Amino acid sequence: MSKDRLIIFDTTLRDGEQSPGASMTLEEKVRIAKTLEQMRVDVIEAGFPIASPGDFESVKAVAQAVKGSTVCGLSRSLDKDIERAGEALKPANSARIHTFIATSPIHMKEKLRMQPEDVLAQAVRAVKKSRQYTDDVEFSAEDAGRSELDFLCQIVEAAIDAGATTINIPDTVGYNIPHQFGELVRQLIERVPNSDKAVFSVHCHNDLGLAVGNSLASVLNGARQVECTINGLGERAGNAALEEVVMAVRTRQDVFDCDTNIDTSIIVPASRLVSSVTGFPVQPNKAIVGKNAFAHESGIHQDGVLKSRETYEIMRAQDVGWSDNKIVLGKHSGRSALKSRLEEIGIVLDGEEALNAAFSRFKDVADRKHEIFDEDLMAIAQESQASIEKARYHLVSSWVCSETGETPHAKVTLKIDGEEVVGESDGGGSVDAVFSAIKSIVSDHGTLELYSVNSITSGTDAQGEVTVRLEKGGRQVYGNGADPDIVIASAYAYLDALNKLALATDREHPQYSGV
Ligand code: KIV
Ligand code: ZN
């Protein structure tokens, strides 16, 4: 008997971007969207077009670039939001408008200041208006997890009658417990008379660490779409992690009567891409995509795995895109070897310019680090892509003098809007001197709140991966950089954050404003 399809709706670019500091540029969003498309994600929520001109352009660019997945835009239940979403989605092969309004007593009374009957009427109007742009309309009852079941049944029935093809039940504040949330979905499907005319979806937040558990309980009770994000990124404690939902369903096919269409071998490259674009590191013990997710430390476990992998492993690391950590390329490898290895690990570069930039960066790293692993290649691809994208500040060169008993001194040359500018400074250490030299050039630098270094592989010649967080006027941005020289990696990371800070930021938040 063939199984149902479980639709994977990825909202990394929308809810994921609502994580403080996780803002992404248009180019970064397109790159992530192309990776999600390659992973065969069914629906990509590309943003909230009314939020700002930048958000509108990003949704439009994703709609233009992605042809294999449905591209979705979020809108409140307001005409102006829906019109803007419809406009941004025009270039899409397959477009979805996702319109929402809050349905819980507390949200209706305190946030919307509306009566339930007016909320219902507005939901119906919004769905009908959305149907003027596309036949694929999703309606979300925001804070459904704390809504009254009778009202939820009424509004869901009315939304389906008005033309909604997907009904999303969000646990907006991550309040639910799996058996209870699964039961809510079951009751809705059973009680709403026209429930067979729509796909039921869930969207769970992770405030109690239960987002994946709640999503899976809903799937067991009839939900056939899960909304999730790469690495569980998202508002506050995040959303359900795509990789965990997909792998739970795939690994426990004895329990689930559905499966996704996801190419799981793209999971690790996608996780790495999202982590380096946003600057949010992945914790080592994170399921599926953490560095230690498949590492066996104890002797008993190692012995067991050597005798039979299944003794301690329920999934194969390669199936989710981990490589077996072999040396893959060296300094004599050519352009086509680089291109084909990148493709093998799920990284498709965007055109000749990107391949040229990646190759020159690869040569530079390979000269200093003789063994190049897949993890190095992922960082090289990310760094080189960032270098060709529209950015205000570029590192031309960095020189540091550091000697026992002497104050370190740095000289940095940046290219700013095409012109080379030189800055110099002393510092408490080499990194401090480089940052001060950069600050002597870039006045609009905010406050450094976090600086951390990780090594991408092992060995003293490993590439260092640096993350910095800057704060300015209540806004946080993360920057990332990688290089075998951690002082250079630090300069890249700092400039990455400064470039993000330089971007315009006026945008509305979908859930704090509007109706
Ligand atoms: O958490 C939530 O309720 C949302 C909606 C906009 C779907 O993100
Ligand atoms: Zn959400």
Side-chain angles (χ1 to χ4, degrees):
M1 194 184 76
S2 82
K3 293 203 167 194
D4 279 1
R5 164 82 78 91
L6 177 61
I7 297 166
I8 293 296
F9 176 114
D10 180 280
T11 182
T12 306
L13 302 179
R14 197 277 298 171
D15 215 321
E17 209 203 16
Q18 284 174 220
S19 311
S23 60
M24 306 169 209
T25 64
L26 179 146
E27 290 80 8
E28 288 167 342
K29 286 185 181 172
V30 170
R31 202 156 8 114
I32 291 173
K34 296 287 287 175
T35 302
L36 296 173
E37 177 188 32
Q38 196 192 351
M39 202 195 279
R40 299 200 295 259
V41 159
D42 301 282
V43 186
I44 299 172
E45 187 163 56
F48 177 45
I50 194 84
S52 70
D55 282 52
F56 176 86
E57 290 304 330
S58 300
V59 175
K60 193 168 161 193
V62 170
Q64 254 149 6
V66 166
K67 295 299 162 207
S69 309
T70 295
V71 180
C72 173
L74 182 70
S75 72
R76 292 165 298 193
S77 52
L78 300 174
D79 283 0
K80 60 176 181 169
D81 285 37
I82 297 164
E83 284 157 15
R84 204 75 178 131
E87 184 64 29
L89 291 168
K90 258 190 193 155
N93 253 3
S94 164
R96 172 178 298 187
I97 293 181
H98 175 191
T99 186
F100 76 96
I101 192 163
T103 54
S104 62
I106 181 167
H107 275 230
M108 290 191 290
K109 180 162 180 267
E110 307 293 343
K111 181 177 91 168
L112 301 179
R113 307 215 160 131
M114 284 170 74
Q115 294 301 318
E117 54 276 21
D118 298 325
V119 168
L120 190 144
Q122 185 149 327
V124 166
R125 259 200 317 276
V127 170
K128 286 189 175 154
K129 170 101 184 163
S130 304
R131 283 295 298 247
Q132 292 170 5
Y133 295 90
T134 170
D135 291 343
D136 187 348
V137 172
E138 172 168 332
F139 170 71
S140 277
E142 190 194 5
D143 205 16
R146 292 189 300 170
S147 299
E148 284 168 359
L149 182 60
D150 285 347
F151 181 59
L152 214 45
C153 286
Q154 278 174 34
I155 199 164
V156 165
E157 182 183 351
I160 297 174
D161 268 347
T165 44
T166 300
I167 294 293
N168 185 40
I169 308 299
D171 182 18
T172 302
V173 292
Y175 178 69
N176 280 255
I177 304 291
H179 76 277
Q180 174 199 8
F181 198 60
E183 181 59 19
L184 170 67
V185 171
R186 195 182 67 74
Q187 292 257 352
L188 277 168
I189 295 174
E190 243 174 55
R191 286 177 51 172
V192 170
N194 53 3
S195 65
D196 59 321
K197 308 256 173 351
V199 172
F200 277 69
S201 164
V202 288
H203 173 114
C204 299
H205 279 271
N206 205 31
D207 299 66
L208 293 173
L210 293 170
V212 171
N214 283 330
S215 304
L216 296 176
S218 314
V219 173
L220 291 171
N221 283 282
R224 285 296 175 265
Q225 174 176 287
V226 172
E227 302 199 352
C228 45
T229 57
I230 301 289
N231 299 338
L233 203 66
E235 186 85 37
R236 302 182 312 279
N239 290 65
L242 177 148
E243 60 277 9
E244 294 177 20
V245 171
V246 166
M247 289 316 291
V249 171
R250 183 69 50 88
T251 306
R252 296 307 306 272
Q253 279 290 290
D254 55 327
V255 173
F256 292 96
D257 51 3
C258 55
D259 197 4
T260 71
N261 190 36
I262 294 293
D263 176 354
T264 60
S265 70
I266 310 296
I267 284 179
V268 168
S271 159
R272 224 198 125 79
L273 174 63
V274 169
S275 167
S276 59
V277 160
T278 57
F280 279 43
V282 175
Q283 76 197 55
N285 59 333
K286 163 85 178 62
I288 321 290
V289 292
K291 236 181 183 156
N292 296 348
F294 293 88
H296 299 281
E297 188 69 23
S298 100
I300 298 175
H301 287 205
Q302 285 172 353
D303 181 55
V305 169
L306 288 174
K307 286 179 179 144
S308 165
R309 190 186 57 80
E310 284 85 5
T311 51
Y312 287 99
E313 278 187 10
I314 57 165
M315 298 166 272
R316 282 170 14 115
Q318 294 91 324
D319 290 348
V320 296
W322 285 106
S323 69
D324 29 15
N325 235 5
K326 53 186 190 297
I327 302 162
V328 287
L329 296 174
K331 69 178 193 173
H332 299 298
S333 309
R335 267 166 61 96
S336 52
L338 173 68
K339 183 166 183 265
S340 77
R341 186 61 202 159
L342 283 172
E343 280 170 8
E344 273 168 36
I345 57 173
I347 296 173
V348 182
L349 293 170
D350 213 3
E352 276 302 292
E353 194 192 356
L355 178 59
N356 289 342
F359 188 59
S360 98
R361 189 148 179 81
F362 163 73
K363 283 286 176 195
D364 172 44
V365 174
D367 262 346
R368 293 177 289 150
K369 179 181 191 304
H370 300 296
E371 300 171 333
I372 302 287
F373 297 91
D374 285 336
E375 284 76 5
D376 293 311
L377 292 182
M378 290 178 197
I380 286 168
Q382 169 62 22
E383 280 294 326
S384 55
Q385 190 75 45
S387 73
I388 59 168
E389 284 170 359
K390 274 183 248 134
R392 180 122 206 262
Y393 312 115
H394 292 272
L395 182 69
V396 177
S397 66
S398 158
W399 172 90
V400 189
C401 180
S402 153
E403 198 181 336
T404 320
E406 297 294 325
T407 303
H409 185 79
K411 185 171 169 186
V412 170
T413 307
L414 300 185
K415 194 175 254 180
I416 306 179
D417 300 332
E419 284 213 0
E420 290 198 3
V421 190
V422 180
E424 287 194 54
S425 180
D426 287 345
S430 301
V431 172
D432 189 46
V434 166
F435 280 23
S436 299
I438 293 175
K439 278 198 263 184
S440 74
I441 306 172
V442 181
S443 52
D444 197 12
H445 48 67
T447 309
L448 181 69
E449 287 192 332
L450 174 131
Y451 170 83
S452 80
V453 190
N454 262 310
S455 84
I456 291 180
T457 53
S458 54
T460 51
D461 68 346
Q463 287 200 82
E465 189 176 42
V466 175
T467 302
V468 301
R469 187 175 70 224
L470 300 178
E471 190 276 337
K472 191 171 166 244
R475 184 170 165 245
Q476 290 177 328
V477 291
Y478 283 83
N480 234 292
D483 195 89
D485 181 330
I486 61 161
V487 180
I488 310 268
S490 303
Y492 282 140
Y494 194 40
L495 290 174
D496 188 32
L498 288 171
N499 278 319
K500 288 182 177 163
L501 214 53
L503 291 174
T505 58
D506 261 356
R507 57 202 306 230
E508 282 201 69
H509 187 293
Q511 286 155 297
Y512 298 158
S513 53
V515 188

